[in-house]
Amino acid sequence: MREASAQGARIVHFPEGAICFPSKFVMSVDGPDAVGPADWDRCEWPVLQSELAAIAELAGELRLWTVIASVHRLTGPNRPHNSLYVISDRGGVVTRYDERLLSKTKVSYMYSPGVSPVTFEVDGVRFGCLLGMEIHYPELWAEYEKLDGVLFSTSGTPGNTAAQAQGHATVNSYWVSLSVPSQHSATAPSGIVAPNGDWLARCPADDSPSVAVVNLDDSSEAAADAVTYGRPWRREARAGIYTEHQVSDPRSEDRTAAF
């Protein structure tokens, strides 16, 4: 947080598991050799709460918006959420995103799924949040199409996460921040994708903790065409503009007509 603030950042975005991401084997009542229902009484909740409070205090001190993943405790016997806290530059939690489309293990044994998308605004820039393995669900990304960017935190997920992040940024013409633990940097280093699908900044692929900083400028070369032309045209196309141009023609309707 201090490093991001020193580089002039207004918002810092951390990966899933940044504070606490307990192993399914450690939490399992059938563990440590088998996965079973999680025993959340094993969680040191007061320690976790004190860490979050310290982070919120520092966010206020640095005047730095902070998006950080953590386990969000619910009323027993309900399982907790796997969440992203959005902490304002005044040090208060303004909203929280709860992962909705969980992995099979997460939903079967560990967490309660969330139910809704979450958005917030910093200096006129509107963000949405996604988490975990939700990189694989384009419908969730499409929900945020009207926003300026999406912050996606993961602890690492199968498949080409980096390429998918570029794809979501491109088809929705918005900024995407991909935040991944440094141990996965060899295959998917953290970074920021512009609305045209280009990486503007990426962390090193050497497992070292680092910060990538960019200016989200919609008038820049990496964003202007996508935001000014690409996004409006897709909206127009989806609104039914093709109907008046459709024709009734037997040669159109005959799918076997080759020539």
Side-chain angles (χ1 to χ4, degrees):
M1 290 171 67
R2 295 186 186 280
E3 183 178 347
S5 177
Q7 294 189 47
R10 283 287 289 131
I11 180 171
V12 61
H13 171 214
F14 288 98
E16 182 182 27
I19 302 178
C20 178
F21 198 58
S23 164
K24 58 189 177 184
F25 293 102
V26 169
M27 299 302 293
S28 171
V29 296
D30 300 324
D33 299 319
V35 179
D39 178 8
W40 284 102
D41 288 338
R42 298 176 182 179
C43 181
E44 295 287 351
W45 293 109
V47 175
L48 183 59
Q49 290 165 355
S50 67
E51 291 295 320
L52 288 168
I55 290 167
E57 182 179 358
L58 183 58
E61 175 187 325
L62 298 175
R63 287 292 185 260
L64 178 70
W65 284 76
T66 302
V67 179
I68 191 159
S70 184
V71 179
H72 180 72
R73 190 177 191 179
L74 300 184
T75 306
N78 296 318
R79 298 171 184 161
H81 291 310
N82 185 39
S83 304
L84 280 174
Y85 288 105
V86 179
I87 302 170
S88 79
D89 59 355
R90 296 183 178 275
V93 176
V94 295
T95 191
R96 186 193 72 250
Y97 177 72
D98 307 318
E99 185 182 6
R100 290 175 283 168
L101 297 185
L102 305 161
S103 70
K104 185 173 183 179
T105 296
K106 281 180 177 178
V107 75
S108 298
Y109 301 117
M110 299 192 72
Y111 300 103
S112 297
V115 296
S116 63
V118 163
T119 64
F120 66 99
E121 185 173 312
V122 178
D123 298 342
V125 181
R126 300 163 302 161
F127 294 100
C129 297
L130 292 172
L131 180 60
M133 62 182 300
E134 292 179 334
I135 191 80
H136 300 308
Y137 300 97
E139 63 271 24
L140 298 186
W141 296 79
E143 286 180 320
Y144 293 132
E145 189 269 345
K146 293 183 179 180
L147 304 183
D148 300 299
V150 171
L151 308 179
F152 173 64
S153 298
T154 184
S155 63
T157 181
N160 195 330
T161 303
Q164 290 184 80
Q166 287 183 282
H168 292 311
T170 305
V171 301
N172 292 292
S173 297
Y174 53 37
W175 303 87
V176 169
S177 174
L178 171 66
S179 188
V180 183
S182 58
Q183 61 261 37
H184 296 297
S185 63
T187 54
S190 298
I192 300 92
V193 189
N196 70 351
D198 289 345
W199 289 100
L200 286 197
R202 302 191 80 176
C203 293
D206 59 5
D207 294 350
S208 62
S210 56
V211 178
V213 180
V214 300
N215 180 30
L216 306 187
D217 181 4
D218 279 352
S219 65
S220 65
E221 182 179 351
D225 283 351
V227 173
T228 304
Y229 302 110
R231 179 186 289 180
W233 172 250
R234 283 194 298 273
R235 291 176 180 171
E236 191 175 352
R238 288 168 174 153
I241 64 168
Y242 299 103
T243 303
E244 63 181 280
H245 299 285
Q246 292 171 350
V247 298
S248 177
D249 188 314
R251 286 190 56 76
S252 173
E253 296 165 3
D254 184 358
R255 303 291 177 181
T256 64
F259 307 107

